[in-house]
């Protein structure tokens, strides 16, 4: 039995923080796991910026409400789900993801959660578990699934390396260069061909 574990941002939906940066004009919020491999460093940086500018959770969710899946993402998910089980494995937060999951037809999502203080500001973040993407793959393998994993960023690499099949989807040049052993798909049509081969 096979199962697909896929990243969310950059694979199925745009990068949330880049959209927040564009709407607020705060350039420093454009940094993602494509740029900074250490997720804790990245999140502490983000929370410090939000605090400095007085931005609250609602400021971010208002931006997310305007976002849509990447062009072709919903068709891709609708193509894939009848063929095999799909789990979205993301370092995003439940408080951010809900409107995007609705637009993707409510696929299964495993992610993290935030602490919100009385003023509505983000007080902290809580990882479901450290290196959670890799642990999801290992858990599926312990259930005797053959795992196909897709991702685009540094925080996806341990998931891709642990899965029986790891695929980079539209990765930036630096990640493609650092991890040349992973096959690369630059479009949903290419990933469909690769998945068709692996699922057959």
């Amino acid at each position: 039995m096979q199962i697909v574990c896929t990243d969310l941002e950059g694979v199925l939906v745009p990068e949330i923080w880049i959209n927040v940066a564009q709407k607020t004009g705060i350039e420093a919020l454009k940094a993602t796991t494509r740029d900074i491999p250490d997720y804790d460093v990245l999140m502490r940086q983000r929370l410090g910026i939000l605090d400095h500018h007085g931005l609250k959770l609602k400021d971010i969710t208002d931006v997310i409400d305007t976002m849509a899946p990447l062009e072709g993402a919903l068709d891709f998910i609708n193509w894939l789900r009848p063929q095999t089980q799909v789990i979205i494995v993301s370092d995003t937060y439940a408080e951010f993801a809900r409107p995007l999951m609705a637009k993707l037809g409510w696929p299964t999502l495993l992610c993290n959660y935030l602490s919100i203080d009385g003023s509505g500001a983000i007080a902290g973040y809580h990882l479901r578990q450290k290196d959670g993407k890799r642990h999801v793959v290992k858990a599926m393998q312990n259930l005797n699934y053959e795992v196909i994993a897709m991702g685009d960023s540094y925080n996806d690499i341990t998931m891709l390396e642990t899965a029986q099949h790891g695929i980079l989807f539209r990765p930036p040049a630096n990640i493609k260069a650092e991890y040349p052993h992973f096959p690369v798909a630059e479009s949903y049509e290419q990933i469909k061909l690769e998945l068709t081969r692996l699922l057959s």
Side-chain angles (χ1 to χ4, degrees), residues 44-171:
R44 286 195 296 270
Q45 176 178 303
R46 287 169 170 168
L47 294 186
I49 294 166
L50 295 181
D51 184 58
H52 176 75
H53 289 274
L55 294 175
K56 307 292 178 71
L57 174 64
K58 187 176 186 310
D59 297 307
I60 297 172
T61 56
D62 283 350
V63 173
I64 296 169
D65 284 340
T66 70
M67 293 170 58
L70 293 170
E71 185 176 350
L74 181 57
D75 287 342
F76 168 69
I77 287 292
N78 288 341
W79 170 85
L80 182 58
R81 288 174 79 180
Q83 300 185 61
T84 191
Q85 296 298 309
V86 183
I87 299 175
I88 297 176
V89 187
S90 176
D91 281 337
T92 194
Y93 301 94
E95 293 81 359
F96 292 174
R98 189 172 179 81
L100 294 170
M101 291 301 99
K103 293 171 184 177
L104 285 170
W106 298 108
T108 299
L109 169 70
L110 301 179
C111 63
N112 303 310
Y113 68 99
L114 298 167
S115 293
I116 312 301
D117 70 17
S119 73
I122 299 173
Y125 65 97
H126 306 278
L127 303 182
R128 190 172 34 78
Q129 61 187 144
K130 193 164 180 61
D131 201 8
K133 295 184 179 190
R134 181 178 65 85
H135 283 294
V136 169
V137 170
K138 288 178 69 67
M140 292 298 106
Q141 290 169 334
N142 286 339
L143 294 170
N144 290 326
Y145 280 97
E146 177 183 318
V147 180
I148 303 166
M150 300 168 42
D152 70 323
S153 296
Y154 283 114
N155 65 329
D156 299 313
I157 295 302
T158 60
M159 172 174 75
L160 271 58
E161 289 178 333
T162 305
Q164 281 91 338
H165 309 282
I167 307 165
L168 285 169
F169 183 76
R170 293 178 181 164

Side-chain angles (χ1 to χ4, degrees), residues 31-44:
T32 72
T33 51
R34 289 174 164 220
D35 311 300
I36 301 174
D38 189 316
Y39 188 74
D40 287 312
V41 169
L42 178 61
M43 275 309 298
R44 286 195 296 270

Side-chain angles (χ1 to χ4, degrees), residues 1-17:
M1 293 182 69
Q2 295 165 306
I3 192 165
V4 172
C5 293
T6 178
D7 182 33
L8 177 64
E9 293 178 67
V11 175
L12 299 172
V13 304
E15 294 282 351
I16 289 170
W17 290 98

